[in-house]
Amino acid sequence: MSTVIEQDVEARLVAAAPRMPTIPATLAYDRSDPFAVRMTFPAPATLEGVEVSWAFARELLSAGIEGPAGDGDVRVRPYGYDRTVLEFHAPEGTAIVHVRTGELRRFLKRATALVPAGREHLHLDVDQNLAELLGGAC
């Protein structure tokens, strides 16, 4: 069984212009980092012209499709019947995208099948993480 799940999603960038362009994005979940999900935007879709990836709690995404969640760099909330808003806050500005809620639910279902909620701690390699944190200083 694979330890990584990736799913392409269609995101709509909320901008000042009335038309919201569609941009590609990829959601990823890795069993070796069981508390986090990543959302990556390809270089052509970013202001910087480089691929941008945001990591945030899987629990935040799960809670945010049901009601407003998050008060930090990433915030998630429902929008209407079938959309979810993800806000990404950085010193350079804020990016707001809409994603179909069904796509997010499908991704979360696959991630939960790989690592059930509440069982994430069983997939942590504490020794490896500590060694990486300390840079081999131990």
Side-chain angles (χ1 to χ4, degrees):
M1 173 187 266
S2 175
T3 63
V4 177
I5 294 170
E6 287 189 342
Q7 179 176 315
D8 292 332
V9 295
E10 181 181 284
R12 292 208 175 264
L13 181 63
V14 177
R19 184 176 180 277
M20 295 187 327
T22 299
I23 58 172
T26 302
L27 287 167
Y29 181 78
D30 185 340
R31 184 169 53 190
S32 69
D33 190 4
F35 290 102
V37 296
R38 285 179 174 59
M39 189 166 199
T40 303
F41 300 93
T46 69
L47 293 175
E48 298 83 11
V50 296
E51 182 178 274
V52 174
S53 185
W54 287 81
F56 51 96
R58 174 173 72 163
E59 184 177 323
L60 173 65
L61 184 60
S62 182
I65 62 176
E66 301 301 329
D71 57 7
D73 294 343
V74 179
R75 300 171 193 174
V76 184
R77 69 180 184 279
Y79 182 78
Y81 173 72
D82 66 344
R83 298 267 179 195
T84 298
V85 174
L86 291 97
E87 295 181 17
F88 301 97
H89 297 263
E92 301 80 20
T94 300
I96 301 173
V97 297
H98 291 185
V99 179
R100 285 188 179 96
T101 304
E103 291 184 82
L104 298 177
R105 288 185 194 282
R106 205 166 18 263
F107 172 77
L108 287 167
K109 184 177 179 179
R110 293 174 61 210
T112 301
L114 188 61
V115 177
R119 309 285 293 178
E120 295 91 349
H121 66 284
L122 299 175
H123 298 275
L124 290 175
D125 186 345
V126 177
D127 293 332
Q128 174 66 30
N129 292 343
L130 187 57
E132 288 174 9
L133 181 65
L134 297 174
C138 17

